[in-house]
Amino acid sequence: YALLARPASHGMPTLDPLEVREARPRGFAASHNFCFNPRYMRAWSEDPRGVRVEVSPKRSGGNRYYRVELAGACPELTRAGSIAFRSGLGIGVICGNPGDMAMAGGESSQGGLINRLPPGRIPCQVLAVYPEQAQAAGLD
Protein backbone atom coordinates (compact mmCIF):
# COMPACT_ATOMS: atom_id res chain seq x y z
CA TYR A 1 0.00 0.00 0.00
CA ALA A 2 2.84 2.42 0.87
CA LEU A 3 4.41 1.90 -2.56
CA LEU A 4 1.12 2.82 -4.26
CA ALA A 5 0.36 5.75 -1.95
CA ARG A 6 3.77 7.41 -2.25
CA PRO A 7 3.55 8.35 -5.97
CA ALA A 8 -0.04 9.57 -5.53
CA SER A 9 0.93 11.94 -2.70
CA HIS A 10 3.52 13.88 -4.73
CA GLY A 11 0.91 15.99 -6.46
CA MET A 12 -1.08 16.81 -3.28
CA PRO A 13 -0.65 20.17 -1.57
CA THR A 14 0.49 20.19 2.04
CA LEU A 15 0.23 22.75 4.79
CA ASP A 16 3.19 24.62 6.21
CA PRO A 17 4.64 23.15 9.40
CA LEU A 18 3.05 24.40 12.62
CA GLU A 19 5.07 24.90 15.78
CA VAL A 20 3.25 24.99 19.12
CA ARG A 21 4.96 26.49 22.16
CA GLU A 22 3.52 26.24 25.61
CA ALA A 23 4.93 26.51 29.10
CA ARG A 24 5.63 23.15 30.66
CA PRO A 25 3.09 22.14 33.26
CA ARG A 26 4.29 21.81 36.81
CA GLY A 27 4.58 18.36 38.35
CA PHE A 28 1.96 16.92 40.65
CA ALA A 29 1.63 18.80 43.92
CA ALA A 30 -0.43 17.29 46.70
CA SER A 31 -3.01 19.44 48.46
CA HIS A 32 -4.04 19.17 52.11
CA ASN A 33 -7.61 19.40 50.82
CA PHE A 34 -7.42 15.98 49.18
CA CYS A 35 -4.28 14.25 50.51
CA PHE A 36 -2.68 13.24 53.79
CA ASN A 37 0.79 12.05 54.68
CA PRO A 38 0.71 8.71 56.56
CA ARG A 39 3.91 9.71 58.34
CA TYR A 40 1.84 12.10 60.49
CA MET A 41 -0.98 9.62 61.21
CA ARG A 42 -1.94 9.44 64.88
CA ALA A 43 -4.92 7.08 64.86
CA TRP A 44 -7.43 5.43 62.58
CA SER A 45 -10.83 3.74 62.79
CA GLU A 46 -13.09 1.87 60.40
CA ASP A 47 -16.80 2.45 59.91
CA PRO A 48 -19.37 1.67 57.17
CA ARG A 49 -18.26 4.74 55.16
CA GLY A 50 -14.62 3.63 55.03
CA VAL A 51 -11.68 4.62 57.19
CA ARG A 52 -11.23 7.76 59.26
CA VAL A 53 -7.61 8.79 59.82
CA GLU A 54 -6.41 11.26 62.45
CA VAL A 55 -3.25 13.17 61.59
CA SER A 56 -1.24 16.01 63.06
CA PRO A 57 -3.09 19.25 62.20
CA LYS A 58 0.18 21.21 62.17
CA ARG A 59 1.48 19.02 59.34
CA SER A 60 -1.80 18.80 57.41
CA GLY A 61 -2.85 22.37 56.74
CA GLY A 62 -4.99 22.49 59.89
CA ASN A 63 -6.97 19.35 59.02
CA ARG A 64 -7.12 16.79 61.82
CA TYR A 65 -9.36 14.08 60.33
CA TYR A 66 -9.49 12.60 56.84
CA ARG A 67 -12.08 10.28 55.37
CA VAL A 68 -10.54 7.52 53.23
CA GLU A 69 -13.03 5.78 50.95
CA LEU A 70 -12.09 2.26 49.87
CA ALA A 71 -13.06 0.49 46.64
CA GLY A 72 -14.97 -2.21 48.50
CA ALA A 73 -15.15 -4.18 51.69
CA CYS A 74 -11.80 -4.71 53.35
CA PRO A 75 -12.39 -7.50 55.89
CA GLU A 76 -8.76 -7.55 57.06
CA LEU A 77 -9.22 -4.10 58.62
CA THR A 78 -11.99 -5.25 60.96
CA ARG A 79 -9.67 -6.70 63.61
CA ALA A 80 -6.41 -5.11 62.57
CA GLY A 81 -4.26 -3.44 65.18
CA SER A 82 -2.47 -1.28 62.65
CA ILE A 83 -2.88 0.05 59.14
CA ALA A 84 -0.36 1.10 56.51
CA PHE A 85 -0.72 2.99 53.25
CA ARG A 86 1.13 2.74 49.95
CA SER A 87 1.26 5.66 47.52
CA GLY A 88 0.61 4.53 43.96
CA LEU A 89 2.50 7.44 42.44
CA GLY A 90 5.40 7.18 44.85
CA ILE A 91 4.91 10.72 46.16
CA GLY A 92 4.56 9.68 49.81
CA VAL A 93 1.03 10.99 50.31
CA ILE A 94 -2.35 9.31 49.94
CA CYS A 95 -4.79 11.14 47.67
CA GLY A 96 -6.93 8.41 46.08
CA ASN A 97 -4.66 8.27 43.03
CA PRO A 98 -4.44 5.05 41.01
CA GLY A 99 -2.41 2.54 42.97
CA ASP A 100 -2.98 4.09 46.41
CA MET A 101 -3.56 1.21 48.81
CA ALA A 102 -4.45 0.61 52.46
CA MET A 103 -3.40 -2.57 54.18
CA ALA A 104 -4.08 -4.07 57.58
CA GLY A 105 -1.19 -4.82 59.85
CA GLY A 106 1.45 -3.26 57.64
CA GLU A 107 4.75 -2.67 59.35
CA SER A 108 6.94 0.24 58.35
CA SER A 109 9.84 2.27 59.60
CA GLN A 110 8.29 5.35 57.98
CA GLY A 111 5.25 5.51 60.26
CA GLY A 112 2.36 4.24 58.19
CA LEU A 113 3.85 4.29 54.69
CA ILE A 114 4.91 1.06 53.03
CA ASN A 115 6.83 0.63 49.82
CA ARG A 116 6.03 -3.00 49.11
CA LEU A 117 3.38 -5.35 50.36
CA PRO A 118 4.34 -8.14 52.77
CA PRO A 119 3.37 -11.63 51.57
CA GLY A 120 -0.09 -12.83 52.56
CA ARG A 121 -1.56 -9.35 52.98
CA ILE A 122 -4.40 -8.26 50.74
CA PRO A 123 -4.35 -4.52 49.98
CA CYS A 124 -7.50 -2.42 49.74
CA GLN A 125 -7.68 0.16 46.97
CA VAL A 126 -8.12 3.78 48.08
CA LEU A 127 -10.69 5.61 45.94
CA ALA A 128 -10.92 9.03 47.55
CA VAL A 129 -9.48 11.10 50.37
CA TYR A 130 -10.96 14.29 51.80
CA PRO A 131 -10.80 16.19 55.10
CA GLU A 132 -13.57 15.62 57.57
CA GLN A 133 -14.59 18.33 60.00
CA ALA A 134 -14.59 17.36 63.67
CA GLN A 135 -18.09 18.77 64.17
CA ALA A 136 -19.48 16.76 61.24
CA ALA A 137 -17.83 13.63 62.59
CA GLY A 138 -19.34 14.23 66.04
CA LEU A 139 -15.95 14.33 67.72
CA ASP A 140 -15.81 17.75 69.41
Side-chain angles (χ1 to χ4, degrees):
Y1 175 77
L3 291 175
L4 295 174
R6 188 176 303 139
S9 67
H10 287 292
M12 297 184 136
T14 60
L15 297 175
D16 293 333
L18 178 66
E19 184 178 331
V20 178
R21 295 183 187 186
E22 183 178 347
R24 289 189 173 190
R26 292 178 44 185
F28 179 81
S31 165
H32 294 299
N33 292 331
F34 300 103
C35 304
F36 74 95
N37 190 331
R39 179 178 296 178
Y40 304 119
M41 187 170 63
R42 293 180 172 174
W44 69 280
S45 63
E46 184 190 25
D47 61 26
R49 292 179 16 213
V51 175
R52 191 178 80 227
V53 175
E54 181 181 355
V55 295
S56 170
K58 286 183 179 182
R59 304 285 186 174
S60 301
N63 298 315
R64 184 173 178 187
Y65 299 98
Y66 285 88
R67 172 64 54 185
V68 180
E69 292 182 0
L70 303 175
C74 198
E76 287 194 4
L77 290 180
T78 304
R79 288 175 274 187
S82 63
I83 188 171
F85 293 92
R86 181 183 71 187
S87 173
L89 297 179
I91 57 176
V93 293
I94 305 301
C95 306
N97 293 320
D100 284 358
M101 298 287 178
M103 188 181 63
E107 299 298 327
S108 171
S109 61
Q110 293 185 357
L113 181 66
I114 57 174
N115 293 324
R116 48 185 194 129
L117 301 174
R121 305 276 189 203
I122 300 172
C124 305
Q125 182 181 0
V126 175
L127 290 181
V129 174
Y130 49 90
E132 184 175 65
Q133 301 300 323
Q135 293 83 11
L139 302 168
D140 287 336

